[in-house]
């Protein structure tokens, strides 16, 4: 003991199990006293996160698959306690493992943003282990507002898509667009933002579907519709012959 009467001892030789540790003290006259404590030495469980992979990105509302493998030297895998925690949403599951040590489930209700996931496994002795990964829940862009110009096209007009209001992306990602043209409700195979006049005929209804992309996934689409009108007839150039007719002379047009 030190001058303060406190005895300190460190050791790493105790085997796994519950020990009764007894301290005996003897004074200069040979008188003794004892104190005992029960002390358990155990091994912590192990856990390995298999899914999601670090850095993977998902779309908001998309089911995310979670899986981990756990084991313990003393407890059966199905008896271990698991806690699945996100730094954004807190503990969102306590799904445990089966007898083979695999814990798996899906979750579609996580918040948008970058998540740090920590899974903690705890055994019956209170020992625990953790593993972590990071993933992103992406917010898809909103639908844009679109129109087709000209609004009343004829068979002589190309049809061009106008993005009246761009698709808003809550994450601030750059947004691009894809285009699908439908002739009377049937995909016509055109995917550019301009449809040539040569593809249209009178009385056809043309619909363009515009879909925004933010690099991770597609957002809600928007549509615009026009009906192709008949082009006005054209008059060719005419002349009258002869240009200076005599009285009573026939004229040719």
């Amino acid at each position: 003991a030190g001058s303060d009467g406190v005895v300190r001892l460190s050791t790493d030789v105790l085997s796994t199990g519950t020990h009764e540790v007894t301290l005996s003290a003897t004074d200069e006259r040979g008188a003794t006293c004892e104190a005992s404590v029960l002390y358990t030495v155990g091994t912590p469980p192990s856990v390995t996160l298999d899914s999601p992979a670090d850095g993977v990105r998902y779309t908001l509302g998309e089911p995310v698959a979670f899986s981990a493998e756990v084991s313990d030297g003393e407890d059966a895998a199905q008896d271990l306690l698991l806690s699945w925690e996100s730094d954004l949403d807190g503990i969102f599951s306590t799904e445990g493992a089966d007898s083979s040590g695999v814990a798996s489930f899906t979750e579609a209700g996580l918040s948008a943003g970058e998540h740090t996931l920590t899974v903690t496994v705890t055994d019956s002795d209170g020992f625990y282990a953790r593993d972590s990964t990071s993933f992103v829940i992406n917010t898809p862009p909103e639908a844009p507002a679109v129109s087709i110009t000209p609004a009343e096209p004829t068979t002589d007009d190309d049809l061009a898509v106008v993005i009246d209001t761009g698709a808003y992306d809550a994450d601030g990602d750059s947004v691009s667009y894809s285009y699908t043209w439908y002739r009377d409700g049937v995909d016509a195979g055109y995917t550019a933002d301009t449809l040539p006049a040569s593809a249209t005929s009178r009385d056809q209804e043309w619909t363009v579907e515009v879909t925004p992309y933010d690099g991770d996934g597609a957002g809600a689409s928007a549509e615009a519709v026009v009906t192709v009108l008949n082009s006005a007839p054209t008059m060719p150039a005419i002349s009258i012959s002869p240009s200076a007719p005599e009285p009573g002379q026939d004229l040719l047009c």
Side-chain angles (χ1 to χ4, degrees):
S3 60
D4 58 358
V6 177
V7 179
R8 293 178 175 86
L9 172 69
S10 297
T11 181
D12 59 2
V13 300
L14 295 180
S15 59
T16 301
T18 300
H19 300 258
E20 182 179 11
V21 180
T22 301
L23 174 64
S24 300
T26 303
D27 65 14
E28 71 278 5
R29 295 181 179 274
T32 63
C33 64
E34 294 181 345
S36 299
V37 64
L38 292 179
Y39 186 77
T40 300
V41 177
T43 55
S46 66
V47 57
T48 301
L49 256 172
D50 296 322
S51 178
D54 193 58
V56 71
R57 301 176 72 90
Y58 300 90
T59 299
L60 185 65
E62 175 185 358
V64 179
F66 296 90
S67 67
E69 296 180 45
V70 299
S71 63
D72 186 71
E74 292 79 43
D75 296 340
Q78 66 268 26
D79 295 330
L80 299 173
L81 301 179
L82 273 74
S83 173
W84 304 77
E85 183 174 7
S86 159
D87 62 335
L88 296 183
D89 293 333
I91 296 175
F92 60 90
S93 178
T94 55
E95 184 73 27
D98 59 21
S99 58
S100 68
V102 176
S104 62
F105 65 98
T106 59
E107 174 60 49
L110 296 175
S111 303
E114 183 173 357
H115 294 252
T116 297
L117 168 68
T118 301
V119 58
T120 303
V121 56
T122 306
D123 65 17
S124 59
D125 292 322
F127 298 113
Y128 65 89
R130 289 176 174 150
D131 197 10
S132 297
T133 189
S134 296
F135 61 94
V136 175
I137 302 293
N138 176 64
T139 304
E142 297 179 358
V146 301
S147 60
I148 297 174
T149 186
E152 295 183 347
T154 69
T155 53
D156 294 329
D157 296 318
D158 294 339
L159 305 183
V161 178
V162 177
I163 306 295
D164 298 311
T165 303
Y168 171 74
D169 188 84
D171 305 311
D173 297 326
S174 177
V175 177
S176 61
Y177 301 94
S178 68
Y179 307 91
T180 304
W181 290 89
Y182 297 88
R183 180 195 302 114
D184 296 326
V186 178
D187 189 342
Y190 293 92
T191 57
D193 60 354
T194 299
L195 182 73
S198 59
T200 69
S201 297
R202 183 184 66 184
D203 298 330
Q204 290 178 341
E205 181 183 81
W206 281 91
T207 302
V208 65
E209 181 182 69
V210 182
T211 304
Y213 291 84
D214 65 358
D216 288 310
S221 299
E223 293 183 351
V225 182
V226 293
T227 299
V228 178
L229 305 176
N230 184 45
S231 296
T234 58
M235 176 66 72
I238 62 172
S239 63
I240 297 176
S241 180
S243 58
E246 298 291 334
Q249 186 178 359
D250 292 337
L251 303 179
L252 296 178
C253 180

